[in-house]
Amino acid sequence: MDLLLDPSSWAILALVGFIAGFIDAVSGGGGLLSIPALLTMGVSPHMALGTNKLAACFGSSMAAYTYYKQRLFSPSLWYHTFIATFIGAVIGTFIVYLIDNQWLEKWLPIMIIAIALYTLFQPNAMGDHNHKIPTKPKSKLRQWLQGLPLGFYDGFAGPGIGAFWTVSSTGLHKLPLLYSCGLARAMTFTSNLTSLIIFLMLGKVHLVIGLSMGLCMMAGSYIGAHSAIKFGLPFIRPIFITVILLIAAQLVWSAWL
């Protein structure tokens, strides 16, 4: 694909990538910024999805590594979640390549608004002091029930995936918030990388743009992850709610209005 961008366009993509990486590391939802930015620059829809997956791999890998280094994520405890997320992402990516996702576009905003309202009015939606640090693998069934649909969704679409992971991890596994964030970033990286490989095979990735945005996302993710770990729930919760409400508003606008 030949796509010539002027210096101002590259600067915009770099800034968008940095902010998207920061948001992704804290709450998820960076795709709300990066995908529309790519589309605005003239990248076709499937190419925008594939290119965004390349960029997002940089950001999500940095965020996942940061949580891992801070001992907020233990890969050995989530073996089945990894496999389920991988399988779900493979299926979702192939389906989104083959079909029109208008039905999802119309109903997704309602799902995300429901998460926002649940987080606003349920005090323990993002964890409380009674939630225990995980020391052994969680239920295999719950890992599959979580990983398979969320992997599918991230492969198929992706907006709000960080919110789905964080809230469902707190509800299903009773994880403290930062441990939910660590699991969310690791599994988002898994589904991003899986989808990226498939989009590369299909020739739907702009390598130069994806790598450039990816480096900026990595820098934003580094700062975002360290900020979330340092400041905890008082920092994460308002950003989390704000981002998912913005995602819902953007999806309502594009799908219903």
Side-chain angles (χ1 to χ4, degrees), residues 39 47 60 64 71 73 80 104 114 121 144 154 176 178 186 191 199 207 209 211 217 219 229-230 236 238 247 256:
L39 293 172
M47 186 71 74
S60 56
R71 298 184 179 180
F73 173 72
H80 290 279
L104 181 67
F121 296 110
W144 278 90
D154 198 23
L178 288 177
S191 52
F199 277 119
L207 292 176
I209 293 178
L211 290 172
M217 281 192 179
I229 293 168
K230 181 177 181 180
I236 297 173
I247 292 171
W256 293 92

Side-chain angles (χ1 to χ4, degrees), residues 13-55:
L13 288 178
L15 178 61
V16 168
F18 179 85
I19 297 173
F22 180 90
I23 291 173
D24 258 339
V26 176
S27 63
L32 173 68
L33 297 176
S34 56
I35 293 177
L38 290 168
L39 293 172
T40 300
M41 298 300 168
V43 181
S44 63
H46 283 117
M47 186 71 74
L49 288 173
T51 303
N52 183 67
K53 289 300 182 186
L54 173 56

Side-chain angles (χ1 to χ4, degrees), residues 165-177:
W165 270 112
T166 302
V167 171
S168 63
S169 297
T170 302
L172 281 173
H173 308 304
K174 305 301 179 186
L175 299 182
L177 175 60

Side-chain angles (χ1 to χ4, degrees), residues 19-253:
I19 297 173
F22 180 90
I23 291 173
D24 258 339
V26 176
S27 63
L32 173 68
L33 297 176
S34 56
I35 293 177
L38 290 168
L39 293 172
T40 300
M41 298 300 168
V43 181
S44 63
H46 283 117
M47 186 71 74
L49 288 173
T51 303
N52 183 67
K53 289 300 182 186
L54 173 56
C57 278
F58 282 81
S60 56
S61 64
M62 173 57 73
Y65 179 72
T66 301
Y67 282 100
Y68 169 74
K69 289 293 288 184
Q70 295 295 321
R71 298 184 179 180
L72 295 169
F73 173 72
S74 299
S76 61
L77 302 182
W78 303 103
Y79 175 76
H80 290 279
T81 311
F82 274 114
I83 297 174
T85 301
F86 167 77
I87 294 173
V90 169
I91 298 171
T93 304
F94 276 117
I95 289 179
V96 75
Y97 180 72
L98 295 173
I99 69 170
D100 183 2
N101 58 355
Q102 287 185 353
W103 183 89
L104 181 67
E105 289 177 352
K106 290 188 178 296
W107 289 102
L108 183 59
I110 297 173
M111 297 162 59
I112 295 179
I113 290 171
I115 284 186
L117 293 175
Y118 175 74
T119 307
L120 278 171
F121 296 110
Q122 173 55 255
N124 298 331
M126 301 186 75
D128 65 16
H129 63 279
N130 292 320
H131 289 179
K132 305 296 184 181
I133 296 173
T135 58
K136 60 181 181 179
K138 298 293 183 177
S139 161
K140 294 179 183 179
L141 177 60
R142 291 188 180 187
Q143 289 193 47
W144 278 90
L145 288 175
Q146 183 185 32
L148 193 62
L150 291 184
F152 173 87
Y153 170 66
D154 198 23
F156 188 85
I161 185 61
F164 287 121
W165 270 112
T166 302
V167 171
S168 63
S169 297
T170 302
L172 281 173
H173 308 304
K174 305 301 179 186
L175 299 182
L177 175 60
L178 288 177
Y179 287 83
S180 292
C181 290
L183 177 61
R185 303 310 155 240
M187 294 308 143
T188 301
F189 172 62
T190 300
S191 52
N192 280 337
L193 182 59
T194 303
S195 294
L196 170 62
I197 292 171
I198 296 172
F199 277 119
L200 283 169
M201 292 168 57
L202 296 171
K204 296 298 181 181
V205 180
H206 194 296
L207 292 176
V208 175
I209 293 178
L211 290 172
S212 302
M213 285 190 73
L215 293 174
C216 298
M217 281 192 179
M218 183 177 283
S221 292
Y222 178 85
I223 296 174
H226 279 84
S227 299
I229 293 168
K230 181 177 181 180
F231 299 111
L233 182 60
F235 175 78
I236 297 173
R237 192 171 190 270
I239 294 178
F240 180 91
I241 294 172
T242 300
V243 167
I244 58 179
L245 286 174
L246 288 173
I247 292 171
Q250 189 268 339
L251 292 172
V252 167
W253 177 264

